[in-house]
Amino acid sequence: MRKSQSPSDEMWANEQFRVQGRSIHYRRSLGGSGVPIVHVHGFGISGSYLMPTARLLVDRWVNVVPDLPGYGRSERRDRVLGIPAMAEALIAVLDHLHFDQAVLVGNSMGCPIGLEVAHAVPERVNRLILVSPAGGIQNQPLARAIGQLALDAVRESPRMIPIALPDYLRFGPFNALRLFRELTRFPSLERLLHTPVPTLAVLGGRDPLMPPPTRVLDVARRAPDHVTVVLIEQAAHAINFSHPRHLAQVFTSWLDGRDFHDGPERLSGVRVIRTRRDG
């Protein structure tokens, strides 16, 4: 076991295990209890950018932030894994950690991966949280999605550059483009309508990869009773990095069954689009 050297990461350990002869790296919090929270990163990038939100949850729950196969500190593969294969790798993480159940928190491509796991083994997913669930008709054709991604890049915090750029360069532009194409074809919002577990969708009001508000409202109205949709108005796509306090408050309120504006901070800019109480 190797612990992180940063003072802010004293409550975390860096660990690895092997699947099919290749190592998978993950960060595990050393505190917390109850049903664990597993954070799932987006395409071309490791789990590092998810840490600002994960760090705010360690006093309550065990948190795990893996680097999926081929990403970050995990061993590279001979080929880029698609979304179904990465869902299998995520299940392998749950198995290794002996998690009978977990709360899955996906961002961007992590949302389709979480949806795949929830549909394949719903008994292993206590709850599902989808942050910026990209994919589907709003990201097609590919050229349109690339333009959306470029626009999002200028809307994200500059502080993310030294975290994201090395990951993207290591992953490679060709691999990123191939996987991004697969992501754009995944009907995330439609798949959300059939999720078999309690689900929270968190959208950014400035996220160019998300559909227009009218489309979001239409999906929210058709969602089953166990789906909640929340908007963080000033956030773009990487909400886990740019708005960790807002996101942590939303997570905690939803997991505790409290009103989203209860709590010590009462952060502004969080708007509930649909909850179970809406009927």
Side-chain angles (χ1 to χ4, degrees):
M1 178 189 302
R2 181 179 60 185
K3 293 185 180 180
S4 175
Q5 299 301 308
S6 171
S8 63
D9 284 341
E10 291 178 355
M11 294 297 295
W12 292 82
N14 287 298
E15 301 177 347
Q16 294 184 346
F17 72 103
R18 300 188 74 81
V19 174
Q20 298 177 346
R22 302 292 180 93
S23 65
I24 293 180
H25 171 265
Y26 61 94
R27 308 153 189 83
R28 178 178 58 84
S29 66
L30 302 177
S33 61
V35 178
I37 300 177
V38 179
H39 303 254
V40 190
H41 58 75
F43 80 97
I45 191 169
S46 72
S48 298
Y49 79 104
L50 303 176
M51 291 299 293
T53 296
R55 290 188 186 106
L56 296 179
L57 303 173
V58 296
D59 289 341
R60 289 284 309 276
W61 297 279
V62 173
N63 285 257
V64 173
V65 186
D67 292 340
L68 293 172
Y71 295 81
R73 300 184 191 177
S74 291
E75 195 169 349
R76 300 198 71 170
R77 300 297 176 105
D78 297 331
R79 60 182 179 85
V80 177
L81 299 184
I83 290 171
M86 285 189 287
E88 293 178 4
L90 183 56
I91 294 173
V93 173
L94 302 182
D95 291 342
H96 169 74
L97 293 168
H98 305 290
F99 290 167
D100 293 331
Q101 280 198 332
V103 176
L104 300 184
V105 178
N107 171 250
S108 191
M109 184 190 68
C111 297
I113 295 170
L115 282 164
E116 287 287 287
V117 174
H119 281 274
V121 286
E123 70 279 5
R124 304 291 300 274
V125 181
N126 179 271
R127 294 192 185 189
L128 180 62
I129 300 177
L130 307 175
V131 183
S132 307
I137 192 170
Q138 73 271 6
N139 302 136
Q140 298 170 5
L142 181 61
R144 178 186 185 190
I146 292 174
Q148 293 169 336
L149 191 64
L151 178 57
D152 180 68
V154 302
R155 293 183 177 179
E156 298 292 352
S157 168
R159 294 181 295 109
M160 192 167 167
I161 294 175
I163 295 174
L165 186 58
D167 284 341
Y168 282 125
L169 291 176
R170 180 179 182 273
F171 192 68
F174 177 78
N175 289 337
L177 182 62
R178 175 182 172 186
L179 197 55
F180 188 53
R181 181 190 297 273
E182 180 176 351
L183 172 61
T184 63
R185 294 173 176 173
F186 191 96
S188 294
L189 293 181
E190 285 71 19
R191 191 88 158 138
L192 170 63
L193 294 176
H194 304 287
T195 177
V197 300
T199 299
L200 168 67
V202 184
L203 312 179
R206 301 181 68 244
D207 183 356
L209 284 93
M210 288 292 99
T214 53
R215 172 67 172 144
V216 172
L217 287 170
D218 176 61
V219 171
R221 291 189 190 101
R222 293 187 290 127
D225 285 345
H226 59 266
V227 171
T228 297
V229 182
V230 170
L231 181 73
I232 298 180
E233 294 174 339
Q234 295 304 311
H237 195 64
I239 305 175
N240 311 61
F241 182 85
S242 63
H243 289 71
R245 289 192 303 139
H246 291 76
L247 204 54
Q249 179 173 308
V250 168
F251 288 1
T252 302
S253 298
W254 186 66
L255 292 172
D256 287 346
R258 292 189 286 106
D259 184 272
F260 285 93
H261 297 286
D262 288 345
E265 293 188 89
R266 299 179 182 273
L267 296 172
S268 62
V270 175
R271 182 157 60 93
V272 180
I273 296 177
R274 184 190 192 280
T275 69
R276 184 169 184 168
R277 290 190 299 274
D278 291 337

